[in-house]
Amino acid sequence: MKTLAFKNNDKIAQIGLGTWKSKEGLVGEAVKSAVRSGYKHIDCAATYGNEDEIGEVLKDLFTTDEIKREELFITSKLWNNAHKKEDVIPALKQTLSDLNLSYLDLYLIHWPVAFQPGLEGMPESDADFASLDELPLIETWEAMVEAKKQGLVKHIGVSNFSIKKLKDLMSKTDENPEMNQVELHPYLHQDELVDFCHENDILVTAFSPLGSQDRIPEMKAADEPSLLENDVVKEIAAQNDVTSAQVLLNFHLQRNCIVIPKSTNAERIQQNLKAADFDLSKADMKKLKGLDKHFRYVNGKFFETSDGKYHNLYDE
Ligand code: A2P
């Protein structure tokens, strides 16, 4: 598997298994099947509500020696209800306990959005959000730095951060984020953000690479364009004798990014890993560039408040 390196030379496999939307009763088998197919990287998050089932499977895989802990790269993310400085390490410890791990390879601030500390479920009113003046991202970040110092995590980063938010955070700390996980695909290239990250030694992970069609209806807009059914993608797939999904995943490898396709289907899990076994040509990449229309499947509207605390989440 192709890898990218952190500054300290630790490696991360460029294709990892996504677990957002992976259902209870299926996610454990998906992780097992992924590891057995050769995946070395699993992307998790507390809010996905499935870390305990993944933890059971990891425990089995490690005790039966199918894979060693240190051979796997495991990411998780701090949920918005634990941004308060003193809540970060307890939230991380809960994730470690659910995943049956003593450390994470990577821990990310999931969103630049803070809920009222301890809020269960999704906010129902503006009052359920805490502003970034009340709970500044730098304070959350300082607790992330502390978690790394304590050896609970090897690397720390952020998710859904714009250049503006990265610059602001970086101006206030000596420990820069090592990763920014954001939505990326041929309809959303975000060249400027990807370049900024790479110039500043921040690795980039692409989420929703296949268009996340299994999102709940409330998160979907009417007439969303399909990536898998796009004619240009289909034509490039046919020319390379691969599937549309493999084109959409290889696209990120060509951009030196990491990608985390979600699947709970054993055959598609294998197919997605094999997206690393070929290279899109420069001409193919140019055709995919032509599809860029700055379209987001995860538009962030669900985190906007009417009192102005949160709006224009992506600063654009
Ligand atoms: P499934 O889990 O049944 O395989 P994203 O990674 O962008 O969030 O997209 C996940 C969606 O894409 C899920 O509905 C998943 O379904 C589907 N999917 C995953 N891999 C493939 C593939 N190789 N071909 C087609 N659909 C796929």
Side-chain angles (χ1 to χ4, degrees):
M1 169 50 62
K2 292 169 182 165
T3 60
L4 293 177
F6 289 92
K7 254 171 105 176
N8 74 346
N9 217 26
D10 281 354
K11 305 286 194 300
I12 176 169
Q14 266 183 284
I15 297 180
L17 180 74
T19 61
W20 174 39
K21 311 177 260 71
S22 294
K23 292 205 171 60
E24 209 184 313
L26 294 180
V27 69
E29 275 307 309
V31 169
K32 200 181 285 175
S33 159
V35 168
R36 288 182 178 159
S37 310
Y39 279 71
K40 302 282 188 237
H41 168 190
I42 316 286
D43 183 85
C44 311
T47 193
Y48 301 162
N50 53 20
E51 289 192 324
D52 51 347
E53 186 173 330
I54 296 174
E56 285 302 310
V57 166
L58 292 177
K59 189 163 81 184
D60 283 355
L61 290 167
F62 299 147
T63 38
T64 54
D65 238 357
E66 278 201 56
I67 191 158
K68 293 191 176 38
R69 167 66 187 96
E70 56 276 19
E71 291 175 286
L72 269 189
F73 190 102
I74 302 171
T75 302
S76 185
K77 311 184 193 87
L78 175 80
W79 188 230
N80 305 350
N81 64 357
H83 271 217
K84 208 168 151 194
K85 209 168 178 174
E86 53 269 39
D87 292 346
V88 174
I89 290 184
L92 167 59
K93 284 188 174 165
Q94 181 62 52
T95 271
L96 287 172
S97 155
D98 288 343
L99 290 170
N100 278 312
L101 299 175
S102 59
Y103 71 91
L104 285 177
D105 295 278
L106 176 64
Y107 199 43
L108 307 177
I109 296 181
H110 206 146
W111 287 92
V113 172
F115 295 168
Q116 291 301 342
L119 182 83
E120 292 293 333
M122 286 295 273
E124 285 172 5
S125 69
D126 291 355
D128 285 340
F129 289 84
S131 73
L132 294 180
D133 290 330
E134 289 167 84
L135 291 177
L137 290 168
I138 183 60
E139 291 187 14
T140 310
W141 183 249
E142 279 163 6
M144 301 284 285
V145 172
E146 176 58 26
K148 184 176 171 184
K149 263 195 207 129
Q150 289 184 20
L152 297 169
V153 301
K154 295 202 179 241
H155 301 279
I156 49 178
V158 295
S159 183
N160 297 299
F161 271 46
S162 61
I163 294 178
K164 181 168 180 260
K165 290 197 175 75
L166 284 169
K167 276 187 176 164
D168 185 55
L169 191 68
M170 288 159 70
S171 72
K172 297 173 178 156
T173 176
D174 294 333
E175 278 264 355
N176 285 351
E178 300 172 90
M179 176 73 74
N180 190 18
Q181 183 177 125
V182 295
E183 180 176 341
L184 291 178
H185 42 70
Y187 296 147
L188 183 70
H189 284 237
Q190 304 209 76
D191 287 328
E192 220 191 318
L193 177 63
V194 171
D195 289 348
F196 176 85
C197 289
H198 287 162
E199 281 157 17
N200 287 282
D201 279 328
I202 302 169
L203 295 175
V204 178
T205 297
F207 73 69
S208 295
L210 306 174
S212 290
Q213 287 312 299
D214 53 346
R215 274 163 300 137
I216 51 169
E218 300 83 74
M219 278 190 77
K220 283 174 131 175
D223 355 307
E224 286 185 348
S226 165
L227 280 166
L228 286 161
E229 293 301 321
N230 179 280
D231 284 342
V232 174
V233 174
K234 285 194 337 201
E235 182 199 302
I236 296 174
Q239 280 164 359
N240 285 274
D241 203 14
V242 296
T243 66
S244 291
Q246 288 171 323
V247 168
L248 294 169
L249 300 177
N250 192 274
F251 166 78
H252 300 284
L253 310 192
Q254 302 304 324
R255 304 181 82 204
N256 291 321
C257 291
I258 295 143
V259 62
I260 45 167
K262 171 270 173 182
S263 180
T264 46
N265 171 286
E267 192 241 315
R268 289 192 283 275
I269 287 172
Q270 282 182 24
Q271 183 198 125
N272 293 345
L273 191 65
K274 291 200 183 112
D277 295 352
F278 77 109
D279 282 310
L280 288 169
S281 68
K282 284 208 168 78
D284 293 334
M285 287 301 283
K286 204 168 159 195
K287 284 186 201 153
L288 293 172
K289 178 81 204 156
L291 299 182
D292 192 6
K293 51 182 168 182
H294 207 77
F295 175 81
R296 293 182 187 276
Y297 291 101
V298 181
N299 63 25
K301 296 274 181 240
F302 42 85
F303 288 148
E304 288 190 354
T305 61
S306 51
D307 63 3
K309 268 199 294 251
Y310 290 100
H311 70 284
N312 191 15
L313 197 61
Y314 300 110
D315 299 308
E316 55 193 23

